[in-house]
Amino acid sequence: METLEFHWTQSDAQQDPFYLTKIWNRFATFQPYHHQNLLLRKKKIRKRRPLSAGVSYHAELDCRSKRELKHMTHCCYQLTVADTAGIAIEIVTEFVVISDVANKRDTAGVRAGASQREARPQPAINYPHALRLKIEWPRVLQYLEDVEDDNPVHPQTKIVPGDYVAMLILQYWDGAPADSFSTEAKAITESYTAIDLKFKQPMYAGDILVGEAEIEAGQLTVTVYNQFGTPCMVFQCR
């Protein structure tokens, strides 16, 4: 386990956990993955209280598991952020590190299938509570710069960071129609203590992403689909 101290300069209780990405590169134990091709698989956020701008925090990064697979390495890390009052945020992240050989193969597959993706018809959107998530690539690039994310998989294949899509879902309810469902969803996302993310399929800059939202027992679940009806991501917030 490695520790470090950092000074927080932001103040956004809703999005702060997704901006903690920028301190990962400061850990020596994470340096082997610097400029490597990483793909998120799962992320669990537990927020006991928000971070405050102008405050110094203590961070610990612990490698919980690491498995060598064919053409990739599966890793699980836990980031713990604390202040003088104790733990504020815990984030468990699972990702795979893709070898150059696998990345070249996957990139070629993406490019070869681009024309087929564009030629396929777009299914009708008829979810009871549908979220249309607009991906603006310049904003994605700005987010990557803000969090100091140098993962080459984003500029090379225009894969959208899953964290960015999660933030779009959190922000969506501010401008959503003022009905009972949106009001409840907004209340959940504004005061959440836990977020679980599961990534099933990469999301690309050119994709049309739609979320299917439902609320049960105080938990908001949004399943994100691309224009072909393929489930790409599951977002759970409570």
Side-chain angles (χ1 to χ4, degrees):
M1 181 184 296
E2 185 181 357
T3 64
L4 59 77
E5 305 293 325
F6 70 95
H7 190 73
W8 195 243
T9 58
Q10 296 185 193
S11 183
D12 189 328
Q14 196 178 55
Q15 298 185 25
D16 278 348
F18 299 102
Y19 278 86
L20 283 168
T21 301
K22 64 184 176 184
I23 73 169
W24 279 64
N25 286 332
R26 304 180 192 178
F27 287 97
T29 51
F30 193 70
Q31 286 306 303
Y33 308 122
H34 199 45
H35 293 297
Q36 296 297 306
N37 299 294
L38 310 181
L39 289 177
L40 278 178
R41 287 293 182 253
K42 295 180 181 179
K43 174 171 283 192
K44 293 184 178 182
I45 298 171
R46 299 297 180 264
K47 179 166 66 72
R48 302 186 184 184
R49 59 184 177 280
L51 305 183
S52 300
V55 175
S56 294
Y57 289 91
H58 175 84
E60 296 180 350
L61 187 64
D62 181 30
C63 180
R64 298 177 62 174
S65 67
K66 180 178 178 181
R67 291 183 291 126
E68 298 292 339
L69 306 172
K70 185 177 181 180
H71 298 311
M72 66 182 64
T73 304
H74 182 280
C75 301
C76 179
Y77 278 82
Q78 177 171 321
L79 176 68
T80 304
V81 176
D83 55 18
T84 54
I87 295 175
I89 295 176
E90 292 177 303
I91 303 175
V92 177
T93 304
E94 293 184 31
F95 60 89
V96 292
V97 185
I98 305 173
S99 68
D100 289 339
V101 172
N103 183 57
K104 290 177 181 178
R105 179 194 60 201
D106 293 344
T107 301
V110 169
R111 292 174 178 171
S115 59
Q116 296 179 8
R117 289 166 59 86
E118 294 174 357
R120 293 175 62 181
Q122 298 178 12
I125 300 171
N126 54 8
Y127 306 132
H129 302 290
L131 289 68
R132 290 164 176 80
L133 304 172
K134 185 178 180 181
I135 302 297
E136 299 179 60
W137 190 244
R139 290 181 179 272
V140 173
L141 294 178
Q142 183 60 57
Y143 169 71
L144 292 172
E145 181 179 342
D146 291 343
V147 298
E148 302 173 15
D149 188 338
D150 57 11
N151 183 353
V153 77
H154 301 305
Q156 288 178 0
T157 62
K158 286 195 171 183
I159 289 179
V160 179
D163 283 2
Y164 181 84
V165 178
M167 290 194 302
L168 288 182
I169 295 172
L170 288 173
Q171 297 168 351
Y172 175 84
W173 309 103
D174 289 337
D179 54 35
S180 59
F181 184 90
S182 296
T183 299
E184 186 176 0
K186 183 177 181 180
I188 293 172
T189 55
E190 285 183 341
S191 61
Y192 73 85
T193 58
I195 288 180
D196 293 337
L197 306 176
K198 184 176 182 180
F199 303 98
K200 298 183 174 182
Q201 179 78 17
M203 295 167 282
Y204 298 90
D207 282 345
I208 299 173
L209 301 178
V210 178
E212 179 183 15
E214 59 180 352
I215 297 174
E216 184 176 352
Q219 175 173 282
L220 170 67
T221 300
V222 179
T223 304
V224 179
Y225 298 87
N226 61 20
Q227 63 268 38
F228 311 121
T230 304
C232 299
M233 167 184 173
V234 178
F235 168 101
Q236 293 179 316
C237 181
R238 56 193 180 276

